[in-house]
Amino acid sequence: TLDDEGIDYGQMAFIFGVVFFFIALGVVGLTKISVFSMLLYTMPIWLPYVTFWIFYEKWMFMIGLKFAESNGRSIVEMILPPEVNKSPEAMEFFFTQIHNAPSPDNLWQAYIDGKKPLPYTFEIVSRGGDIHFYITVPEKFIPSIKSNLYAQYPGIELKDVSLDYTAEVPSDLKGWEFMSFHLQKKEADVIPILTYKDLKMDMLPKEEEKLDPITPMLEAMA
């Protein structure tokens, strides 16, 4: 059950095993003092594991966040041209070009500096029915992002945004309501999601023959 939910149950199984072990010692007739003594004697075995399990993930999260913040973030708004006459393959090529998976060069960078692939976000935002497309990326990747987008879509306009739109949300959240949705596939993971090639969009059909799966969502947001 835990495996189906994507939960790591190794630590849970270890704790359950330790508890079961000491309960078993009590069942066979050992006194509580004996069990407690056994716990102290075996501490050099289980305490390092438990301590490492508690602090390792917290440490890696902290240094990873620090590394990401040290690289800064920039926001770019994409203003689309009235018509785009390219297939989605152009955007697929764009994602291929900007994909970066820099791995740490040594153990110091991995476990002290927290070096890891930096995140991008590609966001579709509706503000009063007005649709906006935003990209947030590390500052050093802005030239690469812009040059690759201009290469694929010469008519696109890229505008630097100085203030994130989420800054408009008040800190006390008074008068605000939130709703979120988690989408999950009904079928097994081996069954793929339909891509633009399955919809024949790589063949550049006529405008009236296009099946754009994102249009219903944009209409609802507008």
Side-chain angles (χ1 to χ4, degrees):
T1 300
L2 295 175
D3 191 45
D4 291 339
E5 296 297 326
I7 299 175
D8 182 7
Y9 49 83
Q11 296 88 350
M12 190 181 303
F14 174 81
I15 294 174
F16 176 80
V18 171
V19 173
F20 180 79
F21 174 71
F22 286 104
I23 291 177
L25 291 178
V27 170
V28 298
L30 292 178
T31 64
K32 293 181 179 180
I33 296 296
S34 300
V35 174
F36 185 71
S37 299
M38 180 70 73
L39 182 66
L40 291 179
Y41 289 144
T42 57
M43 187 177 292
I45 298 175
W46 57 265
L47 184 60
Y49 176 84
V50 173
T51 306
F52 179 80
W53 164 53
I54 292 174
F55 291 103
Y56 174 74
E57 290 188 3
K58 297 296 183 182
W59 171 258
M60 295 303 296
F61 174 79
M62 182 187 70
I63 62 175
L65 183 62
K66 182 179 179 181
F67 177 76
E69 290 180 348
S70 67
N71 281 272
R73 303 289 290 175
S74 294
I75 306 172
V76 176
E77 181 177 4
M78 297 186 298
I79 301 175
L80 307 181
E83 291 186 5
V84 177
N85 297 319
K86 292 189 175 184
S87 80
E89 192 168 6
M91 183 55 73
E92 181 182 357
F93 187 75
F94 163 75
F95 282 123
T96 302
Q97 290 297 308
I98 68 169
H99 175 72
N100 77 97
S103 56
D105 300 324
N106 49 58
L107 295 177
W108 183 274
Q109 290 185 352
Y111 300 108
I112 303 299
D113 294 337
K115 182 179 180 182
K116 62 180 182 179
L118 295 169
Y120 296 79
T121 69
F122 295 84
E123 306 170 15
I124 305 175
V125 180
S126 174
R127 304 173 67 176
D130 190 15
I131 304 296
H132 297 264
F133 296 87
Y134 295 109
I135 305 176
T136 68
V137 294
E139 291 178 355
K140 63 181 180 180
F141 294 137
I142 284 292
S144 173
I145 289 284
K146 289 185 175 182
S147 61
N148 277 283
L149 275 174
Y150 282 131
Q152 298 302 324
Y153 304 97
I156 199 172
E157 181 181 350
L158 301 176
K159 183 172 66 175
D160 294 323
V161 179
S162 58
L163 185 65
D164 192 341
Y165 64 89
T166 58
E168 299 176 3
V169 180
S171 57
D172 59 3
L173 301 181
K174 181 178 293 186
W176 284 70
E177 294 182 0
F178 294 88
M179 183 185 300
S180 64
F181 299 91
H182 296 268
L183 305 183
Q184 185 175 356
K185 293 181 65 177
K186 292 183 178 180
E187 303 291 344
D189 290 340
V190 296
I191 300 178
I193 298 174
L194 292 179
T195 69
Y196 68 94
K197 292 184 179 180
D198 299 304
L199 300 175
K200 311 295 185 185
M201 294 184 68
D202 57 324
M203 299 180 180
L204 291 175
K206 296 179 181 179
E207 191 65 32
E208 62 272 13
E209 297 176 354
K210 287 183 179 180
L211 297 173
D212 189 351
I214 203 175
T215 302
M217 184 182 72
L218 295 180
E219 287 294 331
M221 295 177 69

